[in-house]
Amino acid sequence: MSELAKTYDPSTLEKKWYEEWLQRRYFHGEAAAPKAPFSIVIPPPNVTGSLHMGHALGRTIEDIFTRWKRMAAFNAMWLPGTDHAGIATQLVVERDLKATDKKSRHDLGREKFIERIWTWREKYGGRILEQLKLLGCSVDWDRTRFTMEPAYSKAVVECFVRLFEEGLIYRDTRLINWCVSCRTALSDLEVDHDEGAQGELYEFAYQMTDGSGEVVVATTRPETMLGDTAVAVHPDDPRHQAKIGKLLVHPFTARTFPVIADAILVDPKFGTGAVKVTPSHDPNDFDTGKRHKLEFISILDQTGVVNEAGGPFAGMDRFAARKAVKAKLKELGFERGSKPHVHAVGHCQRCAAVVEPLISTQWFVKMEPLAKPAIEAVEQGKTKFVPETWSKTYMHWMTNIRDWCISRQLWWGHRIPAWYCGNCQAVTVARTTPGACSKCASADLRQDEDVLDTWFSSWLWPFATLGWPEPARELKTFYPTTLLVTGYDILFFWVARMMMAGLHFMKKVPFRTVYLHTIVTDDKGEKMSKVKGNTIDPVDVIEKHGADSLRFALAWLTTMASQGKNIKFSLSNVEDARRFCNKIWNAARFVLMNLDGYDPNRFADRTAEGPDSASFDLPERWILSRVQRATETVNNALDEYRVSDAAQAVYHFIWDEVCDWYIELAKGRLADKESPDRWKVQGALVTALETAMRLLHPFMPFITEELWQQLPKTASASQSIMITLYPIPDLRFIDDASESSMALVQKVITTIRTLRTERKVPSSVRSRVILNVSDDYKKTILAGYQALVAEQGRCREVLVRRGGEAPPDPAVIGMAGDIEVVLLLEEVADTADENAKLEKERSKVLSDRDHLKKKLDNPQFAERAPAAVLEKDRARLGELEAALGRLDAALKRLK
RNA sequence: AGGCACGUAGCUCAGUGGAAGAGCACUACCUUGACACGGUAGGGGUCGGCGGUUCAAUCCCGCCCGUGCCUACCA
């Protein structure tokens, strides 16, 4: 038998096995395979990215399910890839360009700059994929995709053109979110609102042209008054009714504009009841402007600088203009005060600059028709959310969905396939560069300069990666995908939109189940960020402790995330997992050290018909039954996406049952090399460990492979644990009677140990113990296994008897349920101590007994409680009564 | 402002209409031939508060207090 290294060292073993698996092509899912498909598409990380804890968590969960299903004989396919990540990537490369060449992208020009991004991508774009290998991800590398590769780009264009032809994509001039720093339009989702920023509500007055007075208005953005074209009041507000229809004069531009009545915009209870209206720079005011056909005056340019419409303030940055406008209003005597005011300000998700609402011509997707089927699909259960609570959030967003601004004024991305005619101004949308205007046939065409929102390509990911729009075999086999695993932070950005695109283009949901995991934070619950310096780099963790430990730590922490709760991650979690690895390693060493003369084929033959044919002893019957329980628990937990429960079940099986009990029970019986039953113990050890390795493999692929390889196997065994069958419960080995017998034995042993500890009996001393039992059943079992009890309880003699003879003096007693465990001592025990201990135990038993008795005496209970509960409680009452009797007798003896 | 959650052992979190759980931390003892990255035993919780439903509530319902998250155009 091969010798296992004395200590567990993940570093070499992990590299070795990943290479091996790759070489044997175990990760590849064949579209033509006759097995039931199980497919996952990876949430494509940004090409610029490197692995962070969030990725590590998501990919670990995906790998657990992929490996589990692969072993469960599914045609498992997990597709990897990366996202071109428009703004993010452009910003990264721009920064790099600035740092290395001291140039801006404009210095380079569009073409050269895009070339540079591609070069950059060649160099660094594979980094995060390489890191997935370190994690042990069993992704199908043959199918790696990138959202900017030609085939994928073709899918994006196809999608745009079809939606345009269906009237679901349109171009319009409206108020959009504009980032003055990135100089692009943003969708509503790309604007972050910081909660409760302390701001100022500034009040000033507009004068009426007829000299009849003034109207006081309030604003958080005073500079927008440069674009005011009305003041609105509520039609029913008595304070303002007389002013409706009158004209106001703008203090800086001398423009005049009316006081209008608008019940939608104005809440008469707020402020002065008069609202300044800036149709070009506020969403509500925009609508108001449309309703009242007001003048639309844009006062800011694309860089956030006041334009010529701002009169004397032209050329000033928006924030400088704010100060200047206030100063001037004060100077003119129109300032009317200011109050602190809490309100949310929109920031660009990428660069954090304050976003401005601006009027601009952009491309939009009409969302309502797309959302409807996506809502129905979830209602009908075609796609399920895990945890289920997320479906509510999804529904809420979907039912209140607004049109999606998809054009971006960037260079890096899919260019919008629309051409404008220089002759007739008509728009031609086409799959390939058109030769002539679709309307006037002019050849004077100019393609739209803009690119598409990154998410406009990502929302096609589940099917564009499988060959769409071509009728690929892959689509047929792997679409709809089985499972999507991602963070809840991109539920709307990505998940909801994939639902819409998938249903629209494929007529089927893109995935059956969406597993939304939480955000990984540091151990204090703070979001990990480089700025704060509290990040934990998964690659560092892997180097130090191994991928198995990192994966297991994450799996252990992955409970059903309720909303607003995060995974508080700390290195100590990894250290705990590593201790577990070490424990497994050493358990395997023990097993391997004791396999001399063991023949796996013989064991297989002798147990082929189930456990009875081998006439196992209690410990073997017990552990083989517990193997089945663990198998059942793990499979059930995974079926229900309870990753943590599954991981903990394997952990407890290995540590508490295999190591703490079975190995201890095996030791003595392995010592006798001549024993004819030795092979049974060896076989049970190998079976328990081998099954445990397979159960654990999806969580810890490397160590399980390494140890599994070392175990003796029958001739027909697979080459790798990866391609063995995942354990399924074998009911023939489930043995309730042995489990309860063993539980009794364990309880008695534990009680003996407790007594020894309490009395400070040195471990070298072999005690004598008497077990007073109340029924023959227990007597038979304990008498049958008194050798076992003696060994584990360090006793030289264990006497089991039915009766209540007083134990010899000196002795101490303890209760194992209703069994009186009498530990005989070498010298007289401290009676006071013993008395106090027994009194304490008695009072506990007594209160339990009284409580239970009262409950059982209640006729209502007997009448309404289910029979099983009744029976259980009656049995328990019997045990409590018996225990009480023994305790009373013991106390009496002490007196 | 609305919506969604959460409050269980010192910490991080499971859990269930029918005797309160795990990991870590803590205490005592133990170098026993797999493992001190270990073992054995132990302490520790009126399951946020108040009411209600029920034979039975940590679990279901209502209110209150506290916390987190998401969505939102209140000037």
Side-chain angles (χ1 to χ4, degrees):
Chain A
M1 214 42 62
S2 47
E3 226 5 70
L4 209 52
K6 185 141 172 99
T7 52
Y8 160 66
D9 172 26
S11 57
T12 51
L13 135 200
E14 294 191 352
K15 261 183 208 75
K16 176 182 76 182
W17 285 115
Y18 200 87
E19 280 304 313
E20 190 76 34
W21 295 331
L22 262 185
Q23 209 185 334
R24 295 191 195 158
R25 291 178 55 77
Y26 288 158
F27 302 160
H28 184 62
E30 198 55 62
K35 297 185 282 186
F38 175 88
S39 54
I40 298 184
V41 290
I42 207 168
N46 293 357
V47 269
T48 57
S50 61
L51 199 72
H52 62 235
M53 274 300 167
H55 294 128
L57 173 65
R59 284 349 107 222
T60 294
I61 295 169
E62 283 164 346
D63 201 37
I64 287 169
F65 283 105
T66 304
R67 286 179 183 272
W68 174 50
K69 287 294 183 183
R70 188 184 290 118
M71 288 173 77
F74 281 78
N75 181 20
M77 193 283 288
W78 180 18
L79 185 145
T82 47
D83 192 297
H84 69 281
I87 302 186
T89 303
Q90 183 166 318
L91 284 176
V92 167
V93 178
E94 262 186 295
R95 261 202 298 276
D96 177 64
L97 182 63
K98 187 105 190 167
T100 55
D101 295 8
K102 309 250 177 301
K103 282 182 183 165
S104 77
R105 69 182 155 107
H106 300 281
D107 295 333
L108 244 63
R110 184 168 187 152
E111 229 170 278
K112 288 266 181 242
F113 181 70
I114 290 176
E115 255 174 50
R116 187 163 174 125
I117 297 183
W118 279 105
T119 311
W120 196 93
R121 185 240 172 198
E122 285 310 313
K123 212 166 157 192
Y124 303 109
R127 178 175 51 180
I128 193 158
L129 298 178
E130 287 305 311
Q131 291 172 326
L132 293 178
K133 294 181 179 171
L134 299 178
L135 232 203
C137 296
S138 62
V139 293
D140 191 345
W141 293 110
D142 298 348
R143 302 188 185 281
T144 309
R145 295 288 181 272
F146 177 50
T147 52
M148 278 293 278
E149 71 195 12
Y152 201 100
S153 300
K154 202 179 151 200
V156 174
V157 169
E158 180 69 24
C159 163
F160 185 97
V161 175
R162 280 203 207 172
L163 290 177
F164 178 80
E165 287 168 354
E166 292 162 13
L168 292 174
I169 280 184
Y170 61 92
R171 196 163 178 249
D172 193 15
T173 302
R174 57 167 69 175
L175 207 61
I176 48 91
N177 304 296
W178 183 267
C179 176
V180 299
S181 172
C182 301
R183 293 191 203 171
T184 179
L186 301 172
S187 69
D188 295 333
L189 285 176
E190 288 163 297
V191 181
D192 290 336
H193 296 272
D194 62 340
E195 193 56 46
Q198 191 58 246
E200 178 196 33
L201 189 61
Y202 180 81
E203 295 189 337
F204 66 94
Y206 278 123
Q207 305 300 314
M208 279 182 258
T209 51
D210 63 3
S212 64
E214 63 179 36
V215 181
V216 178
V217 294
T219 179
T220 53
R221 294 182 294 157
E223 73 281 9
T224 60
M225 63 81 71
L226 298 170
D228 283 359
T229 56
V231 165
V233 299
H234 194 91
D236 305 331
D237 189 340
R239 292 173 297 175
H240 298 302
Q241 265 166 349
K243 298 169 193 161
I244 295 166
K246 290 196 174 180
L247 287 179
L248 301 166
V249 60
H250 197 282
F252 305 138
T253 65
R255 282 190 289 111
T256 62
F257 50 87
V259 176
I260 59 170
D262 192 291
I264 298 171
L265 180 69
V266 185
D267 171 8
K269 290 189 286 296
F270 187 93
T272 61
V275 185
K276 63 189 274 304
V277 183
T278 323
S280 294
H281 295 284
D282 181 275
N284 286 320
D285 296 3
F286 180 85
D287 295 341
T288 308
K290 288 280 183 197
R291 279 198 296 279
H292 294 270
K293 299 197 167 44
L294 300 173
E295 197 180 349
F296 284 70
I297 302 175
S298 288
I299 59 146
L300 290 178
D301 69 10
Q302 299 193 340
T303 63
V305 170
V306 176
N307 62 23
E308 57 282 1
F313 304 95
M316 297 174 90
D317 174 77
R318 52 193 170 149
F319 297 120
R322 181 172 298 175
K323 276 190 189 159
V325 164
K326 282 164 67 178
K328 196 73 186 169
L329 283 169
K330 187 174 184 181
E331 189 186 318
L332 294 172
F334 296 143
E335 187 173 286
R336 291 294 177 268
S338 129
K339 299 175 193 140
H341 182 70
V342 177
H343 68 130
V345 178
H347 296 271
C348 172
Q349 188 193 35
R350 287 294 159 194
C351 76
V354 173
V355 166
E356 291 293 336
L358 283 188
I359 290 185
S360 173
T361 304
Q362 302 286 345
W363 289 92
F364 297 87
V365 180
K366 202 169 173 180
M367 298 306 272
E368 241 185 278
L370 294 170
K372 205 166 160 271
I375 291 168
E376 287 165 2
V378 171
E379 279 170 351
Q380 292 162 7
K382 288 177 179 158
T383 293
K384 289 189 171 62
F385 285 93
V386 177
E388 207 278 326
T389 170
W390 286 108
S391 63
K392 285 181 195 163
T393 311
Y394 169 89
M395 286 297 181
H396 183 258
W397 190 74
M398 278 298 214
T399 48
N400 294 293
I401 201 159
R402 291 186 292 174
D403 284 358
W404 175 16
C405 175
I406 52 169
S407 40
R408 296 290 176 276
Q409 289 62 53
L410 306 171
W411 289 351
W412 177 239
H414 301 99
R415 189 98 174 248
I416 293 175
W419 286 260
Y420 305 104
C421 178
N423 181 43
C424 75
Q425 317 307 322
V427 180
T428 303
V429 167
R431 286 171 179 80
T432 52
T433 309
C437 171
S438 57
K439 196 169 175 193
C440 74
S442 159
D444 180 14
L445 291 176
R446 182 181 48 82
Q447 187 174 4
D448 196 310
E449 292 293 320
D450 295 346
V451 301
L452 291 158
D453 182 0
T454 299
W455 300 103
F456 189 85
S457 53
S458 319
W459 74 333
L460 311 176
W461 188 250
F463 50 97
T465 52
L466 296 173
W468 188 86
E470 306 303 326
R473 176 71 196 254
E474 273 68 16
L475 277 175
K476 233 183 152 104
T477 304
F478 296 120
Y479 190 96
T481 64
T482 319
L483 176 65
L484 181 83
V485 178
T486 192
Y488 63 78
D489 51 331
I490 53 174
L491 175 60
F492 306 139
F493 275 111
W494 194 46
V495 180
R497 285 167 176 167
M498 280 191 288
M499 285 292 288
M500 294 188 269
L503 282 159
H504 189 75
F505 294 106
M506 298 294 298
K507 306 296 170 211
K508 280 184 190 165
V509 293
F511 20 74
R512 299 293 179 200
T513 300
V514 179
Y515 182 106
L516 292 164
H517 66 251
T518 49
I519 305 302
V520 182
T521 67
D522 71 8
D523 55 352
K524 294 179 202 72
E526 299 276 334
K527 210 164 177 175
M528 287 189 189
S529 83
K530 284 182 185 151
V531 181
K532 280 187 213 153
N534 62 345
T535 51
I536 295 176
D537 183 345
V539 175
D540 291 347
V541 176
I542 290 169
E543 273 170 17
K544 185 147 182 238
H545 296 288
D548 283 335
S549 293
L550 174 61
R551 293 166 59 113
F552 196 77
L554 289 168
W556 182 280
L557 294 168
T558 302
T559 52
M560 281 294 179
S562 46
Q563 294 195 19
K565 276 206 165 183
N566 300 321
I567 289 182
K568 295 189 179 71
F569 185 88
S570 128
L571 280 177
S572 74
N573 298 124
V574 181
E575 288 158 11
D576 295 343
R578 174 147 192 177
R579 288 192 302 120
F580 180 45
C581 288
N582 197 60
K583 188 75 179 175
I584 299 167
W585 189 265
N586 282 300
R589 280 185 68 221
F590 172 81
V591 173
L592 291 169
M593 272 174 199
N594 286 284
L595 290 182
D596 47 295
Y598 176 67
D599 176 0
N601 293 307
R602 179 183 176 211
F603 186 83
D605 287 348
R606 293 293 295 269
T607 55
E609 304 300 318
D612 297 340
S613 52
S615 58
F616 286 118
D617 203 358
L618 178 65
E620 283 66 50
R621 293 204 310 270
W622 172 76
I623 194 67
L624 293 173
S625 185
R626 297 305 299 168
V627 166
Q628 305 310 324
R629 302 283 185 197
T631 298
E632 199 173 15
T633 309
V634 174
N635 276 297
N636 288 346
L638 288 176
D639 265 329
E640 291 164 25
Y641 301 97
R642 290 182 286 112
V643 176
S644 177
D645 287 356
Q648 295 194 31
V650 194
Y651 175 94
H652 286 298
F653 172 64
I654 292 176
W655 203 308
D656 301 350
E657 304 198 306
V658 176
C659 294
D660 287 354
W661 283 101
Y662 190 68
I663 285 181
E664 292 309 318
L665 293 170
K667 279 178 183 169
R669 287 165 318 133
L670 284 167
D672 177 7
K673 303 222 172 189
E674 304 310 314
S675 164
D677 288 342
R678 197 155 183 268
W679 66 275
K680 295 180 190 171
V681 181
Q682 291 174 321
L685 278 170
V686 171
T687 304
L689 188 61
E690 195 272 344
T691 312
M693 290 305 96
R694 280 185 291 140
L695 286 173
L696 190 57
H697 180 259
F699 305 86
M700 292 187 169
F702 298 110
I703 190 176
T704 51
E705 176 76 292
E706 177 72 17
L707 296 178
W708 186 87
Q709 293 287 345
Q710 307 284 331
L711 288 171
K713 285 175 287 288
T714 57
S716 60
S718 308
Q719 273 210 306
S720 160
I721 193 173
M722 258 198 79
I723 53 166
T724 56
L725 279 181
Y726 201 72
I728 47 170
D730 183 341
L731 301 181
R732 297 171 309 166
F733 284 86
I734 288 185
D735 185 342
D736 290 318
S738 295
E739 288 194 37
S740 66
S741 298
M742 186 65 197
L744 191 65
V745 169
Q746 286 174 312
K747 178 76 183 140
V748 168
I749 291 168
T750 304
T751 307
I752 294 171
R753 287 170 178 168
T754 306
L755 289 173
R756 291 179 57 109
T757 305
E758 277 171 3
R759 305 314 323 182
K760 300 200 186 328
V761 177
S763 60
S764 55
V765 172
R766 306 282 132 172
S767 331
R768 289 196 301 140
V769 162
I770 298 169
L771 305 175
N772 286 319
V773 299
S774 323
D775 65 69
D776 288 331
Y777 172 69
K778 285 174 186 156
K779 187 181 175 196
T780 309
I781 290 164
L782 291 170
Y785 295 101
Q786 51 184 285
L788 222 85
V789 172
E791 180 192 64
Q792 298 299 313
R794 296 179 160 270
C795 307
R796 72 167 183 274
E797 180 188 296
V798 173
L799 182 66
V800 185
R801 57 185 197 186
R802 171 75 215 259
E805 303 111 282
D809 214 28
V812 288
I813 76 153
M815 302 302 298
D818 60 349
I819 299 166
E820 186 179 32
V821 179
V822 182
L823 179 72
L824 304 178
L825 299 174
E826 303 301 315
E827 53 199 278
V828 178
D830 182 331
T831 347
D833 263 17
E834 183 66 5
N835 197 65
K837 191 197 87 185
L838 292 181
E839 281 292 0
K840 195 180 161 198
E841 184 154 9
R842 184 182 180 276
S843 81
K844 171 87 174 73
V845 172
L846 186 67
S847 98
D848 281 2
R849 199 274 314 253
D850 289 349
H851 182 80
L852 199 61
K853 194 160 188 306
K854 204 173 142 195
K855 190 168 147 190
L856 282 160
D857 284 348
N858 181 350
Q860 303 261 46
F861 175 68
E863 212 172 289
R864 308 208 185 181
V869 172
L870 218 57
E871 201 179 309
K872 206 173 128 201
D873 278 355
R874 286 203 179 114
R876 192 174 148 241
L877 184 64
E879 291 212 346
L880 287 171
E881 297 280 14
L884 196 60
R886 296 208 183 276
L887 284 165
D888 280 336
L891 280 163
K892 211 166 153 191
R893 287 196 299 273
L894 283 174
K895 295 220 166 92

